């Protein structure tokens, strides 16, 4: 399981790296923002979320079914549910702001984007804390 925890941490680092790159582009004023850079990072984050969810489903959730640790399956399902919710929330965020002219509502967009960034950070922290319980477990 230690190898899978390392891979999970790698997925987390990638998600955090993308949002860290996006954060300074979400400037106080629209005219200072790098919207092309944000567009690129949005696609990168979407791809990272798909890969992350697939990893959790295949390498954490599916393998937890073979575990002899009582909480492993419950943890895996909770992590998968949280990941799916994060992806859905991000898709809704993207859909909302793709249908709106963000530069006309930049302060609201900026606040919404910063909240989304925090949601990613919170998810990673929660998942990392959960994975610490798996060290030493016989979970796949």
């Amino acid at each position: 399981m230690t190898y899978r925890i390392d891979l999970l941490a790698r997925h987390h680092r990638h998600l955090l790296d993308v949002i860290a790159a996006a954060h300074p582009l979400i400037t106080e004023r629209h005219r200072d923002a790098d919207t092309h850079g944000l567009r690129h990072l949005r696609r990168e984050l979407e791809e990272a979320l798909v890969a992350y969810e697939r990893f959790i489903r295949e390498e954490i959730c599916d393998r937890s079914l073979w575990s002899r640790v009582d909480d492993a399956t419950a943890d895996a399902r909770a992590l998968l549910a949280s990941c799916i919710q994060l992806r859905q929330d991000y898709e809704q965020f993207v859909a909302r702001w793709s249908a709106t002219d963000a530069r006309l509502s930049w302060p609201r967009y900026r606040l919404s984007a910063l909240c989304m960034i925090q949601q990613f950070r919170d998810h990673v922290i929660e998942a990392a804390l959960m994975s610490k319980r798996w060290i030493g477990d016989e979970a796949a």
Side-chain angles (χ1 to χ4, degrees):
M1 187 62 169
T2 302
Y3 179 67
R4 284 183 190 80
I5 292 172
D6 291 344
L7 290 175
L8 180 66
R10 193 169 138 205
H11 279 278
H12 289 159
R13 280 191 305 276
H14 184 68
L15 292 171
L16 293 175
D17 286 347
V18 176
I19 63 171
H23 191 265
L25 304 183
I26 305 167
T27 55
E28 194 72 32
R29 295 179 308 235
H30 176 267
R31 70 174 179 252
D32 300 328
D34 180 356
T35 56
H36 290 1
L38 286 170
R39 188 176 307 122
H40 170 76
L41 292 170
R42 180 179 67 234
R43 283 191 298 265
E44 187 175 345
L45 193 53
E46 289 166 350
E47 292 169 2
L49 274 171
V50 168
Y52 176 54
E53 183 179 334
R54 184 177 52 245
F55 172 79
I56 291 172
R57 188 177 306 280
E58 294 172 2
E59 296 297 326
I60 304 293
C61 219
D62 289 353
R63 292 185 182 271
S64 73
L65 298 174
W66 298 97
S67 173
R68 294 196 172 107
V69 177
D70 292 338
D71 294 334
T73 301
D75 279 355
R77 287 184 178 154
L79 181 58
L80 180 59
S82 178
C83 176
I84 290 169
Q85 186 64 57
L86 179 65
R87 181 184 46 78
Q88 289 173 342
D89 290 349
Y90 186 66
E91 287 172 354
Q92 289 174 357
F93 166 82
V94 169
R96 175 181 180 203
W97 289 107
S98 294
T100 305
D101 190 348
R103 68 192 158 116
L104 297 177
S105 304
W106 190 257
R108 287 185 330 159
Y109 167 78
R110 184 174 185 273
L111 179 60
S112 180
L114 294 176
C115 288
M116 192 75 243
I117 284 173
Q118 189 59 51
Q119 189 174 343
F120 271 90
R121 288 178 179 151
D122 291 347
H123 171 85
V124 168
I125 289 168
E126 180 183 322
L129 289 173
M130 183 184 296
S131 72
K132 285 184 186 276
R133 295 196 304 252
W134 305 339
I135 295 173
D137 285 351
E138 297 173 20

